[in-house]
């Protein structure tokens, strides 16, 4: 082979290597190609067209006006009055690590022979100007040559990505494995892939107007895409045949103030700063306003300003935060008065609590030696301690004197002066022998769905399934006995051909907590409260075939293992609805899971069933309270169990204890000076009752743990009056129970 042929082969070999490596980038691997050693191939095959014909007018959005003979249609231009500045890119998640092997490639040199600064018309500081039909670029008035001129491809203007990023001052590399150009601007990492219209910013995909491509070893990218990616504002000057870009070189600064509550003279203030440079220039300086302090001695509003400077001497815009310094928490003031300083034995002591808190917070109150009355003569010291939410407390003490003269006995004081909801003692053994009130009994057609078995749930499944129409009452009470968090849903399905509206009338929900008695008490209390406020009134309409969760308080919070939920609710539907009470995994979709959930069997201990006529109306017309008497509920003797059906297996069900039944008791005539109390007969009880529209706890503190304890429900005055009691048994408590009516001793 002669020397001429050998030379040609060598040139061809070198040109093939050059064609496979974009000349603009430094490789992420060990192979590097310097801009000073770019090799132009002798021959090329299957390369994309140069598209270096004279540029037609450029539209403000970076696309070009396509000549009539063009083979590809141009992109739709922006309206003439459109603002040419691209929308800033979405703020990406800050990166905490640099791209491995990331270095800056060789910087483009000023055009050969340039010995003086060239200033095209309108060029200014902080501007980068690209000329039409030329590879000339001007940065701050200095002329540079791009490795390829601006090009038009399918109506989109393309520029060399290398020429752009070098002049902007950001970092870039080329990843040979993925054929991506990786550009880093501040904390943002952008990836552009050959022949793809998609690029990413910190993993977030953005679509370009045209795909990136390589031409003669130069990576070309749509003008609008690189300016958008780098957040560069630009305008198009068709008269001057140029694109004018405004480079943002100022760094940015911000900070937060911690903690959120700052107390004067007490709290150490921490200013947590964040700063960055759009071109990655190091931040080397910072400036704070004079009122930045570690501790602020005086309360009030403060504004602090922060700025940063980079290695090029550029400073950020000032960033300001206004925050409040709060007056330090002051201790509460305990104080009370008594209606007098000396009392007889058994004389009620009236106390007026005058305690206060400077911040107006609710206080925790703790009394020492307080009683309705005292029964031993001599001085008695009363003490009050109040504590605020921050733990600061105050104590006040007063001494009263008890004489040897007696006014009331201890039993008389309890009956006459114990507040509603508080406990009094009464011989529980004699109460069953008291006469039971005679009353007229009727019912209202309210269907009760009692979902209480299995009470302890050991596996996911359907706890209850039933169809009902019209007035429907729910009593739901279950415990999660599994090892993971669960949720209970009440799913309503409309199997009719008509739109079906479900109206929620009253609802009370409690839990999840580990105490069954507590959830029962709170759910009933909220149920009564909704009767007073009507705040739970709502409606949902189911389309034919649609299933939706209702009474959604039950599924707002997942149940941990051993936790319990309780619900009492009244609803009304226009047409029949199928209801499913289900327990599923915390993150499960109950609608998707419903078709595959097993119907769980009852546990053999607790009750479940569907019961008609679950509102019992009791009307007492005789005078009550002239002699001691009682009214028994939930004993299956005087107050018979509701009889219904377990719809899951089709067997008869007896509602033991009548849980879920709503009793509306009307005492037409209650004698003057009559005490009404609540007495448990089946064991521990914790609940409440609605008395003449007011909720009374049963009891206020502690619980009714035995039959010798009574909670005060109501006390009549000097005149006969009617009393209305609304009552439903609280889940987790025991039956039967009594309302006891006792004549009061005469007042002295």
């Amino acid at each position: 082979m002669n020397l001429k042929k050998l030379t040609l082969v060598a040139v061809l070999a070198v040109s093939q290597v050059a064609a496979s490596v974009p000349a603009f980038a430094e490789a992420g691997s060990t192979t590097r190609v310097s801009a000073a050693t770019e090799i132009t191939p002798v021959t090329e095959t299957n390369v994309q067209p140069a598209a270096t014909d004279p540029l037609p007018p450029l539209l403000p959005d970076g696309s070009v006006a396509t000549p009539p003979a063009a083979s590809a249609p141009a992109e739709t231009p922006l309206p003439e009055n459109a603002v040419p500045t691209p929308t800033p890119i979405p703020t990406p998640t800050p990166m905490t690590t640099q791209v491995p092997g990331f270095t800056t490639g060789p910087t483009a040199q000023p055009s050969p022979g340039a010995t003086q600064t060239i200033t095209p018309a309108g060029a200014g500081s902080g501007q980068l100007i690209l000329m039409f039909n030329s590879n000339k670029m001007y940065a701050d008035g200095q002329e540079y040559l791009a490795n390829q001129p601006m090009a038009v491809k399918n109506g989109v203007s393309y520029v060399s990505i290398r020429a752009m990023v070098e002049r902007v001052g950001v970092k870039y590399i080329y990843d040979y494995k993925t054929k991506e150009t990786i550009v880093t601007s501040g904390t943002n990492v952008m990836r552009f892939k050959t022949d793809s219209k998609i690029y990413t910013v910190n993993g977030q995909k953005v679509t370009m107007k045209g795909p990136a491509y390589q031409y003669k070893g130069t990576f070309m990218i749509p003008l609008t895409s690189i300016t958008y990616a780098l957040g560069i504002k630009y305008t198009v000057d068709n008269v001057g045949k140029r694109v004018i870009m405004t480079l943002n070189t100022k760094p940015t600064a911000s900070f937060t103030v911690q903690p959120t509550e700052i107390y004067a003279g007490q709290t150490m203030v921490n200013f947590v700063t964040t700063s960055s440079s759009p071109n990655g220039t190091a931040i080397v300086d910072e400036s704070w306003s004079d009122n930045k302090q570690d501790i602020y001695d005086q309360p009030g509003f403060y504004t602090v300003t922060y700025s940063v400077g980079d290695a090029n001497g550029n400073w950020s815009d000032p960033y300001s935060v206004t925050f409040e310094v709060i007056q330090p928490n002051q201790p509460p003031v305990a104080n009370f008065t008594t209606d007098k300083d000396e009392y007889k034995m058994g004389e009620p002591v009236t106390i007026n609590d005058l305690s206060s808190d400077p911040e107006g917070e609710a206080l925790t109150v703790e009394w020492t030696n307080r009683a309705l009355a005292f029964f031993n003569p001599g001085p008695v010291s009363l003490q009050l301690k109040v504590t605020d939410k921050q733990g600061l407390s105050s104590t006040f003490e007063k001494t009263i004197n008890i004489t040897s003269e007696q006014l009331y006995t201890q039993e008389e004081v309890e009956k006459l002066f114990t507040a509603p909801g508080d406990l009094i003692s009464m011989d529980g053994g004699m109460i069953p022998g008291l006469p039971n009130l005679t009353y007229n009994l009727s019912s209202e057609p309210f269907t009760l769905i009692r979902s209480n078995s299995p009470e302890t749930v050991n596996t996911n499944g359907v706890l209850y399934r039933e169809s009902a129409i019209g007035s429907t009452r729910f009593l739901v009470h279950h415990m999660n006995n599994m090892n993971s968090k669960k949720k209970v849903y009440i799913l309503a399905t409309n199997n009719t051909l008509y739109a079906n509206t479900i109206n929620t009338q009253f609802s009370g929900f409690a839990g999840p907590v580990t105490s069954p008695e507590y959830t029962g008490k709170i759910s009933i209390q909220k149920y009564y409260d909704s009767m007073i406020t009507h705040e739970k009134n709502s409606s949902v309409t189911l389309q034919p075939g649609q299933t939706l969760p209702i009474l959604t308080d039950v599924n707002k919070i997942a149940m941990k293992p051993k936790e319990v939920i309780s619900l009492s609710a009244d609803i009304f539907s226009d047409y029949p609805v199928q209801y499913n009470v289900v327990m599923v995994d915390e993150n499960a979709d109950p609608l998707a899971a419903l078709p595959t959930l097993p119907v769980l069997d009852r546990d053999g201990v607790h009750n479940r069933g569907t019961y008609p006529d679950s509102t019992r109306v009791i009307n007492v017309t005789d005078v009550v309270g002239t002699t001691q008497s009682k009214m028994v509920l939930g004993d299956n003797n005087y107050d018979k169990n509701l009889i219904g059906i377990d719809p899951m297996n089709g067997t008869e069900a007896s509602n033991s204890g009548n849980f879920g039944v709503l009793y509306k008791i009307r005492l037409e005539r209650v004698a003057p000076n009559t005490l009404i109390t609540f007495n448990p007969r089946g064991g521990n009880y914790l609940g409440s009752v609605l008395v003449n529209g007011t909720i009374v706890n049963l009891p206020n503190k502690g619980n009714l743990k035995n039959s010798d304890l009574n909670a005060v429900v109501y006390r009549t005055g000097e005149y006969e009056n009617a009393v209305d009691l609304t009552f439903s048994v609280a889940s987790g408590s025991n039956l039967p129970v009594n309302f006891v009516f006792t004549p009061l001793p005469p007042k002295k």
Side-chain angles (χ1 to χ4, degrees):
M1 183 180 294
N2 59 34
L3 180 60
K4 183 176 181 180
K5 290 183 177 180
L6 285 171
T7 302
L8 180 58
V9 170
V11 171
L12 286 170
V14 173
S15 69
Q16 290 173 358
V17 173
S20 65
V21 179
F24 68 88
E26 176 178 324
S29 64
T30 57
T31 303
R32 300 183 62 179
V33 179
S34 172
T37 60
E38 291 184 16
I39 301 173
T40 303
V42 175
T43 61
E44 295 183 22
T45 58
N46 299 324
V47 296
Q48 299 187 21
T52 55
D53 297 334
L55 289 172
L58 193 65
L59 295 173
D61 68 346
S63 62
V64 298
T66 304
S71 59
E75 294 175 291
T76 303
L78 291 174
E80 292 182 359
N81 61 351
V83 178
T85 303
T87 304
I89 59 175
T91 302
T93 303
M95 301 287 289
T96 56
T97 58
Q98 189 65 273
V99 178
F102 199 102
T103 58
T104 304
T107 303
Q109 300 298 317
S111 57
T115 59
Q116 61 182 359
T117 300
I118 302 172
T119 307
S125 176
Q127 289 185 336
L128 175 63
I129 298 178
L130 277 60
M131 305 303 296
F132 292 8
N133 304 319
S134 173
N135 63 347
K136 291 183 179 181
M137 309 168 64
Y138 296 91
D140 294 333
Q142 176 69 53
E143 181 182 295
Y144 294 86
L145 296 180
N147 49 339
Q148 286 293 330
M150 291 178 63
V152 178
K153 182 178 173 60
N154 294 331
V156 178
S157 295
Y158 284 80
V159 294
S160 162
I161 194 170
R162 171 186 175 177
M164 284 288 297
V165 298
E166 281 184 344
R167 297 279 57 82
V168 173
V170 298
K171 299 177 181 180
Y172 63 94
I173 62 171
Y174 184 75
D175 188 330
Y176 288 89
K177 293 182 179 179
T178 63
K179 295 183 179 180
E180 290 178 314
T181 296
I182 304 172
V183 178
T184 299
S185 175
T187 58
N188 299 326
V189 178
M190 291 151 277
R191 292 176 176 265
F192 300 87
K193 191 176 183 67
T194 304
D195 299 326
S196 174
K197 294 179 69 174
I198 304 296
Y199 72 93
T200 63
V201 182
N202 297 336
Q204 180 179 350
K205 293 181 179 180
V206 183
T207 301
M208 302 189 292
K209 292 188 174 183
Y213 69 90
Q214 294 185 34
Y215 174 67
K216 292 185 178 180
T218 297
F219 198 106
M220 304 293 288
I221 189 171
L223 170 66
T224 52
S225 298
I226 188 62
T227 54
Y228 181 84
L230 295 175
I232 299 173
K233 297 180 180 180
Y234 71 90
T235 57
V236 177
D237 179 10
N238 281 309
V239 176
K241 299 185 182 302
R242 59 185 181 166
V243 176
I244 304 171
M245 303 181 188
T246 302
L247 304 183
N248 177 23
T249 58
K250 291 197 303 185
T252 59
S254 65
F255 67 94
T256 59
V257 181
Q258 298 177 354
T260 55
E261 290 188 348
I262 301 171
Y263 293 95
Q266 296 180 351
T267 306
M268 179 69 71
V269 183
N270 187 21
F271 297 89
V272 182
T273 63
T274 302
S275 61
S276 64
S277 170
N279 52 18
T281 305
I283 304 298
V284 297
D285 201 359
E286 66 178 12
S287 174
W288 291 92
S289 56
D290 293 338
N291 59 348
K292 174 180 177 288
Q293 302 174 36
D294 293 333
I295 295 179
Y296 291 84
D297 294 329
Q298 298 299 320
F301 288 91
Y302 293 82
T303 299
V304 174
T305 301
Y306 175 61
S307 302
V308 297
D310 65 16
N312 294 331
N314 297 314
W315 280 87
S316 69
D317 292 328
Y319 183 87
S320 299
V321 173
T322 299
F323 54 92
E324 183 181 8
V325 176
I326 306 170
Q327 175 73 32
N329 180 50
Q330 302 297 310
V333 178
N335 188 25
F336 68 89
T337 61
T338 56
D339 57 330
K340 53 186 181 179
D341 296 329
E342 187 171 86
Y343 298 86
K344 300 174 183 178
M345 290 187 298
E347 183 178 2
V349 178
T350 301
I351 295 177
N352 184 21
D353 187 352
L354 302 176
S355 301
S356 62
D357 181 76
E359 289 77 35
E361 293 181 350
L363 300 175
T364 301
V365 176
E366 181 181 353
W367 287 93
T368 300
N369 210 29
R370 181 177 182 176
L372 289 172
F374 296 91
F375 299 94
N376 294 307
V380 175
S381 177
L382 307 177
Q383 188 179 84
L384 170 63
K385 179 180 179 181
V386 294
T387 306
D388 66 14
K389 292 181 179 180
Q390 281 68 42
L392 296 182
S393 61
S394 171
T395 301
F396 181 80
E397 186 173 356
K398 180 180 180 179
T399 299
I400 59 175
N401 186 55
I402 309 301
T403 69
S404 58
E405 185 179 356
Q406 178 128 19
L407 184 63
Y408 293 110
T409 65
Q410 186 166 351
E411 181 181 356
E412 289 173 334
V413 167
E414 287 185 348
K415 291 179 179 180
L416 286 169
F417 303 108
T418 300
D422 284 351
L423 297 175
I424 64 173
S425 298
M426 191 177 294
D427 181 8
M430 62 86 181
I431 291 178
L434 295 176
N436 203 63
L437 293 184
T438 301
Y439 51 78
N440 298 316
L441 178 65
S442 61
S443 62
E444 295 176 357
F446 233 108
T447 300
L448 169 64
I449 292 176
R450 181 181 177 186
S451 179
N452 188 205
S453 186
E455 182 173 283
T456 301
V457 184
N458 299 311
T459 185
N460 292 343
V462 177
L463 306 173
Y464 204 90
R465 175 174 290 164
E466 179 62 287
S467 292
I469 183 175
S471 297
T472 305
R473 178 169 295 129
F474 281 91
L475 179 66
V476 179
H477 183 77
H478 294 284
M479 174 188 287
N480 173 19
N481 198 40
M482 290 170 272
N483 295 323
S484 59
K485 290 183 178 180
K486 304 293 179 180
K487 281 188 175 182
V488 171
Y489 291 85
I490 300 174
L491 304 178
T493 302
N494 178 14
N495 291 321
T496 74
L497 300 177
Y498 310 98
N500 198 350
T501 298
I502 300 175
N503 294 291
T504 299
Q505 298 167 332
F506 313 125
S507 178
F509 173 76
V513 294
T514 56
S515 169
E517 296 88 352
Y518 177 81
T519 63
K521 174 181 179 179
I522 299 303
S523 64
I524 283 294
Q525 189 179 82
K526 291 181 177 180
Y527 177 59
Y528 296 150
D529 188 65
S530 71
M531 294 180 182
I532 299 170
T533 65
H534 300 281
E535 65 178 1
K536 291 298 182 178
N537 287 5
S538 63
S539 64
V540 60
T541 299
L542 300 177
Q543 298 303 318
Q546 187 177 21
T547 299
L548 287 176
I550 63 169
L551 302 171
T552 53
D553 285 344
V554 300
N555 53 266
K556 285 182 178 178
I557 302 176
M559 304 169 64
K560 297 176 183 177
K562 304 302 180 183
E563 287 189 331
V564 182
I565 57 105
S566 290
L567 170 76
S568 293
D570 291 354
I571 66 174
F572 182 89
S573 65
D574 295 331
Y575 299 102
V577 178
Q578 184 186 70
Y579 299 103
N580 282 276
V581 182
V582 302
M583 185 179 287
V584 294
D585 293 337
E586 174 186 13
N587 297 317
D589 180 349
L591 301 183
L594 181 59
T596 61
L597 289 176
V599 176
L600 304 184
D601 196 7
R602 54 190 176 187
D603 56 26
V605 177
H606 301 92
N607 184 269
R608 74 180 184 190
T610 301
Y611 303 98
D613 303 326
S614 63
T615 297
R616 287 193 167 173
V617 180
I618 295 175
N619 187 261
V620 180
T621 57
D622 295 336
V623 177
V624 176
T626 54
T627 59
Q628 198 170 24
S629 59
K630 71 177 188 300
M631 177 185 290
V632 183
L633 300 179
D635 67 337
N636 200 27
N637 182 18
Y638 291 102
D639 181 36
K640 296 291 186 180
N641 292 349
L642 279 176
I643 302 300
I645 190 170
D646 181 342
M648 275 72 79
N649 56 27
T651 59
E652 184 181 274
S654 176
N655 188 12
S656 178
N658 277 339
F659 286 85
V661 172
L662 183 68
Y663 295 90
K664 295 181 178 180
I665 304 169
R666 172 75 173 179
L667 306 171
E668 298 281 359
R669 302 176 62 190
V670 180
N673 301 314
T674 297
L675 175 67
I676 304 175
T677 59
F678 182 87
N679 175 246
R681 305 307 304 177
N684 187 51
Y685 195 91
L686 198 61
S688 58
V689 60
L690 195 61
V691 185
N692 290 344
T694 300
I695 298 173
V696 176
N697 293 316
L698 303 173
N700 289 327
K701 295 181 181 179
N703 52 16
L704 291 161
K705 57 187 177 181
N706 61 62
S707 60
D708 289 332
L709 292 176
N710 282 250
V712 172
V713 172
Y714 187 77
R715 188 182 290 109
T716 59
E718 299 299 320
Y719 302 96
E720 177 184 298
N721 61 276
V723 176
D724 289 303
L725 305 175
T726 302
F727 176 74
S728 188
V729 179
S731 295
S733 288
N734 297 280
L735 275 294
V737 295
N738 289 330
F739 284 100
V740 180
F741 307 90
T742 304
L744 287 171
K747 284 188 176 181
K748 300 176 183 178

